[in-house]
Amino acid sequence: MLEIIYQDDSLIAINKPHGLLVHRSKIADDAKEFALQMLRDQIGQHVNPVHRLDRKTGGVLLFAFHKEVEIAMQKQFQEGLVDKHYLAIVRGYTPLEMEIDYPLAKENGTLQDAQTSFVTLQQAEIPLAIGKHPTSRYSLVDANPKTGRMHQLRKHFAHIFHPIIGDRPHGCNKQNRYFKEHLQMNTMLLHASSLSFSHPITSEKIIITAEVQAEFKRMMELMNFSL
């Protein structure tokens, strides 16, 4: 059963598990379950996603019951009117706050502008000997993407040399291998924690939040991070 975290006559949101595709995709033929179909079956109603989350990203995923609501919400996303926040655990000590303005290439090579701001919530140094150092440093960050490019947060944090733990192929192979082999972690530590927007029907301000899931929480406890 999917965790429903918001529902009204127009919209419904779930806390998407890490590893679950939003819908069928040619690039993931191995997948047998999809959030779209699972939610339809669970509530017995037709829904359509108004935005996307990577397969490996968990958290707030929003669907619309009606086509006009879907179009209206997609327009808000495209125009940057939806405030999106993500929690991520990244390698190293990040700056206390930072604006990343770094264009990203589409599949055809065309560059698109891309901006992300983040604040560092907590930092940890723990006795994990990965590579030549006896300890490893990590940061828990709250990231706020201003644009919505494919793999934007993953690419932006890799660009500033603070890759998200568990991110393949943009992340750190040594870190990812250690977390998989020694800590049995098979997810990526990126969680869509909240969406804030104007309701397309009522104009009411809506804020939807999702709690981190079990594997993310386990890694937070390992690093003594708390929310």
Side-chain angles (χ1 to χ4, degrees):
M1 295 284 284
L2 295 169
E3 179 191 357
I4 295 172
I5 52 177
Y6 177 85
Q7 185 172 357
D8 62 27
D9 292 339
S10 305
L11 298 164
I12 184 169
I14 64 167
N15 186 354
K16 184 184 88 67
H18 297 267
L20 181 65
L21 277 171
V22 175
H23 51 62
R24 295 183 192 278
S25 170
K26 291 179 182 177
I27 60 173
D29 293 335
D30 62 310
K32 299 291 185 286
E33 291 185 314
F34 311 91
L36 177 60
Q37 284 78 11
M38 288 174 68
L39 184 58
R40 282 178 181 174
D41 293 345
Q42 185 170 319
I43 65 173
Q45 282 183 263
H46 180 86
V47 293
N48 274 319
V50 300
H51 67 126
R52 304 287 184 267
L53 288 180
D54 289 348
R55 182 178 189 173
K56 293 177 71 178
T57 304
V60 182
L61 181 62
L62 187 64
F63 297 82
F65 288 119
H66 313 292
K67 191 67 181 176
E68 62 271 21
V69 174
E70 178 191 349
I71 293 169
M73 280 308 308
Q74 286 176 346
K75 189 168 184 284
Q76 285 198 48
F77 274 95
Q78 289 164 2
E79 294 177 356
L81 300 175
V82 179
D83 191 33
K84 302 166 287 187
H85 284 266
Y86 291 75
L87 290 172
I89 295 177
V90 303
R91 184 188 69 185
Y93 281 0
T94 49
L96 292 180
E97 56 183 72
M98 187 175 182
E99 299 274 346
I100 306 171
D101 189 347
Y102 178 67
L104 298 174
K106 295 170 68 175
E107 287 182 359
N108 64 8
T110 305
L111 283 179
Q112 293 178 301
D113 66 310
Q115 295 91 29
T116 300
S117 65
F118 72 85
V119 295
T120 300
L121 302 176
Q122 292 167 56
Q123 296 175 330
E125 185 169 3
I126 57 177
L128 293 183
I130 304 174
K132 59 185 179 182
H133 301 291
T135 61
S136 297
R137 291 178 170 186
Y138 302 96
S139 298
L140 176 66
V141 300
D142 177 345
N144 180 210
K146 309 297 185 185
T147 49
R149 309 310 181 199
M150 190 176 199
H151 294 178
Q152 176 171 317
L153 294 179
R154 299 165 66 173
K155 291 177 179 177
H156 271 179
F157 280 105
H159 172 68
I160 63 167
F161 305 105
H162 294 290
I164 297 169
I165 301 302
D167 180 10
R168 300 175 186 86
H170 309 104
C172 171
N173 290 334
K174 280 185 184 177
Q175 295 280 338
N176 292 343
R177 192 180 307 116
Y178 188 96
F179 273 73
K180 184 176 183 180
E181 294 177 359
H182 296 272
L183 301 175
Q184 290 72 54
M185 190 199 80
N186 288 304
T187 190
M188 178 174 67
L189 298 179
L190 180 62
H191 172 78
S193 54
S194 73
L195 286 181
S196 176
F197 56 91
S198 174
H199 195 286
I201 303 299
T202 66
S203 298
E204 177 188 359
K205 185 175 183 182
I206 304 294
I207 301 173
I208 305 174
T209 60
E211 292 187 4
V212 294
Q213 293 157 19
E215 196 70 339
F216 199 112
K217 194 175 292 184
R218 181 168 75 92
M219 292 301 111
M220 286 181 60
E221 289 170 354
L222 175 76
M223 298 173 191
N224 294 314
F225 290 151
S226 60
L227 291 173

